[in-house]
Amino acid sequence: MSSSWVYIKDLKDYLDKKIILKGWMWNKRSSGKIAFLQIRDGYGFVQVIAEKSVLGEDFFNEIKKLKNESSLIIEGTVKKDDRSPVGVEILAEKIEIIHEPNEDYPISNKEHGIDFLMENRHLWLRSRKQFHILRVRNQIIKAIREFYLENDFTLIDTPIFTGSIGESAGNTFEMEYFDYGKVYLAQTGQLYLEAACQSLGKVFNLGPTFRAEKSKTRRHLIEFWMNEAEVAFYEHEDNIKLQNDLVNYIVKSVLENVRDDLEALERDISKLEAVNGEFPRITYTEAVEVLQNQGYNINWGDDLGAEHETKLSSKYDKPLIIEKYPKHAKAFYMQPDPQNPEVVLCDDMLAPEGYGEIIGASERIWKEEVLLKRLEEENLSKDDYQWYLDLRKFGSVPHSGFGLGIERTVAWICGLEHIRETIPFPRTLYRVYP
Ligand code: 4AD
């Protein structure tokens, strides 16, 4: 074949030219002398017209019987077609069957139950909706990296095995590490970013984190990806501005670069377009008052549940920042508010439309004696945190940071009810296969 291999996204530049298409036939229909093959190639979806008169009777009959997900190499001419989402279709001249399944493809156009789809996640990834979600995820991650690199941050890859519990002892994965003894899978890379910001000023990471969450919810994964940032000399206000800027940057970037994918997912784009400028802010104490006034049975000091969060964020079309939670509802490392030491200088950012918390953030305790007291209060052994305490011994400075959950962000941007479709191979309470 002398023509050149072109991806579906670029076909419109080859009108009336002969090209080669390599991909999979995800569906077909035929009527008498013509077969319409629906082809995908990783970059889009296009219809290929296979005619008996061109391919010859025997081969045409073979094509008519092809099973879905056969892989093909097609040589043909690109023709304008205004009904096609890519504006073209292909008139096939030659088709090479690379591999034809012996059995029917298990995933069809009919509705399948979620357990079946999860069991077949390795094949489900090929479906149109999953294709679009994974492209949006990719763009979100790309935007995150761009944001930090454009703002002079340095990437710090933080470890997965750790001897110091980063969040809370309640949901760690523990294991024996050679002669060292007990270690944990990272719940966060934060403590290590705190060390690195004293070397490089503004730092970030992006990687998998692990939490043995025993509750089965739409928003929790056991293995999830987090982007964290940490900045030396940043205080609470600087931290909030940074999160606000990052989220605006992500939304702008997806609207500019993967709008077609969002439309294919039937996302209400106007809801994303409303996300810009400064986000609304309330304190935890105000949030509790709002909920109490609405008849919720909640007391100061209680955690905000998913239902509370949805109620609170429903008033706004932008993400909502809730700040200054009670000290005991939050992790040990958060800086008490000098105005009221019962609360800490932290914030959670809730996505609009009820998609829940996407960011957890705080200014960190930077005085050694305050940190020692908090470790003791939380029953954490100071021996496990010697290196972390060292950071408070040598040129300690106020510093702040946050973590953005990638899957929660993807769920919000794509408008997905459940987090399980936002990651290629989800690990949930009952699933580690495939
Ligand atoms: O609020 P979290 O627990 O914050 C931390 O881990 C801090 N150490 C981050 C930091 O300050 N460097 O988690 C941050 C975000 C949450 O807002 C949420 O988006 C996501 O991580 N997240 C989860 N996503 C999916 N499944 C889970 N089980 C999650 N737990 C947290």
Side-chain angles (χ1 to χ4, degrees):
M1 291 187 182
S2 58
S3 324
S4 52
W5 173 18
V6 177
Y7 283 122
I8 292 171
K9 68 182 172 67
D10 300 322
L11 285 175
K12 57 186 181 315
D13 301 333
Y14 289 80
L15 275 189
D16 298 316
K17 299 227 166 64
K18 222 189 232 193
I19 54 93
I20 288 171
L21 185 65
K22 303 185 184 190
W24 297 262
M25 187 195 77
W26 62 274
N27 208 354
K28 68 161 189 318
R29 67 191 166 82
S30 49
S31 68
K33 294 182 249 168
I34 301 192
F36 301 93
L37 314 181
Q38 307 304 327
I39 305 294
R40 51 174 193 85
D41 72 345
Y43 296 87
F45 302 82
V46 75
Q47 172 163 278
V48 171
I49 315 243
E51 293 178 329
K52 182 150 92 179
S53 60
V54 177
L55 300 176
E57 181 152 6
D58 289 351
F59 190 64
F60 180 72
N61 287 338
E62 215 176 301
I63 292 290
K64 264 171 55 176
K65 282 189 270 168
L66 269 186
K67 292 205 187 300
N68 283 355
E69 291 302 318
S70 291
S71 43
L72 308 172
I73 297 184
I74 297 156
E75 185 167 16
T77 307
V78 182
K79 291 285 170 200
K80 194 166 181 317
D81 175 17
D82 292 332
R83 288 160 308 170
S84 150
V86 279
V88 298
E89 60 183 15
I90 309 288
L91 253 169
E93 280 150 42
K94 208 162 150 193
I95 297 179
E96 193 184 333
I97 301 170
I98 303 300
H99 179 251
E100 186 183 359
N102 287 323
E103 50 188 301
D104 285 340
Y105 190 63
I107 301 182
S108 64
N109 279 338
K110 68 173 202 276
E111 286 280 309
H112 293 287
I114 188 65
D115 285 341
F116 174 84
L117 289 170
M118 292 291 268
E119 195 71 11
N120 287 286
R121 182 67 177 165
H122 52 299
L123 302 177
W124 188 23
L125 288 184
R126 302 182 191 191
S127 301
R128 216 174 240 239
K129 183 177 174 202
Q130 304 308 313
F131 166 85
H132 292 299
I133 295 171
L134 292 179
R135 283 175 49 86
V136 174
R137 179 186 170 104
N138 176 60
Q139 185 63 38
I140 289 172
I141 290 176
K142 194 169 162 202
I144 290 171
R145 292 189 194 281
E146 273 170 14
F147 173 83
Y148 289 112
L149 297 175
E150 280 175 18
N151 286 288
D152 285 333
F153 279 70
T154 302
L155 171 70
I156 296 295
D157 297 310
T158 49
I160 302 291
F161 290 121
T162 166
S164 333
I165 294 176
E167 283 298 312
S168 72
N171 59 4
T172 50
F173 279 101
E174 284 181 23
M175 62 188 61
E176 287 300 311
Y177 194 85
F178 307 109
D179 296 335
Y180 181 87
K182 197 157 65 179
V183 297
Y184 312 94
L185 294 185
Q187 298 167 307
T188 169
Q190 175 193 321
L191 309 196
Y192 299 96
L193 288 184
E194 287 187 58
C197 83
Q198 292 191 338
S199 165
L200 294 141
K202 300 199 270 189
V203 294
F204 76 105
N205 72 2
L206 183 80
T209 46
F210 307 85
R211 296 194 191 174
E213 311 270 11
K214 299 283 165 30
S215 57
K216 198 178 164 206
T217 79
R218 304 186 280 123
R219 294 183 187 155
H220 289 90
L221 291 168
I222 302 300
E223 178 178 308
F224 66 98
W225 283 61
M226 186 155 48
N227 155 239
E228 297 177 274
E230 195 70 34
V231 185
F233 296 104
Y234 263 30
E235 297 178 21
H236 182 59
E237 289 300 320
D238 309 304
N239 197 18
I240 287 184
K241 177 164 188 315
L242 181 64
Q243 297 154 43
N244 197 147
D245 288 349
L246 170 67
V247 173
N248 279 339
Y249 189 98
I250 294 172
V251 171
K252 189 159 173 276
S253 173
V254 294
L255 288 172
E256 277 172 13
N257 295 290
V258 288
R259 207 185 179 92
D260 290 353
D261 295 286
L262 294 169
E263 281 167 0
L265 290 166
E266 296 177 0
R267 182 68 170 106
D268 183 347
I269 303 274
S270 69
K271 293 272 200 303
L272 295 176
E273 283 169 338
V275 176
N276 52 52
E278 207 176 311
F279 299 163
R281 265 164 82 167
I282 55 171
T283 63
Y284 166 87
T285 303
E286 286 161 349
V288 170
E289 280 163 15
V290 169
L291 291 166
Q292 285 171 341
N293 289 338
Q294 308 225 0
Y296 285 87
N297 180 16
I298 183 169
N299 296 311
W300 197 93
D302 293 348
D303 240 342
L304 300 180
E307 188 195 355
H308 301 134
E309 290 180 353
T310 303
K311 186 77 211 169
L312 291 164
S313 59
S314 67
K315 253 181 67 188
Y316 308 93
D317 59 358
K318 297 177 203 261
L320 172 64
I321 292 168
I322 305 183
E323 59 182 332
K324 303 187 178 174
Y325 282 68
K327 177 171 87 171
H328 292 292
K330 289 289 177 185
F332 68 92
Y333 51 71
M334 296 188 181
Q335 173 75 26
D337 183 357
Q339 315 290 327
N340 171 11
E342 280 314 297
V343 301
V344 284
L345 293 175
C346 71
D347 70 274
D348 283 355
M349 188 189 291
L350 310 185
E353 304 168 72
Y355 287 98
E357 182 201 314
I358 52 172
I359 285 183
S362 66
E363 188 174 323
R364 323 303 189 186
I365 293 174
W366 62 285
K367 299 237 161 86
E368 188 186 8
E369 60 281 8
V370 183
L371 185 59
L372 279 168
K373 190 156 162 276
R374 282 297 285 134
L375 286 171
E376 202 179 301
E377 281 171 5
E378 297 293 319
N379 280 325
L380 293 164
S381 152
K382 85 174 199 250
D383 295 344
D384 292 341
Y385 293 90
Q386 275 314 325
W387 68 270
Y388 188 65
L389 288 159
D390 266 358
L391 307 177
R392 277 83 186 155
K393 287 191 179 116
F394 305 101
S396 191
V397 291
H399 59 288
S400 304
F402 64 88
L404 169 105
I406 299 296
E407 289 75 20
R408 301 253 186 107
T409 306
V410 177
W412 161 48
I413 302 261
C414 291
L416 303 173
E417 265 300 293
H418 203 294
I419 200 172
R420 66 190 158 213
E421 287 180 62
T422 62
I423 183 163
F425 294 96
R427 269 74 185 98
T428 58
L429 194 50
Y430 301 114
R431 180 163 296 282
V432 278
Y433 176 93

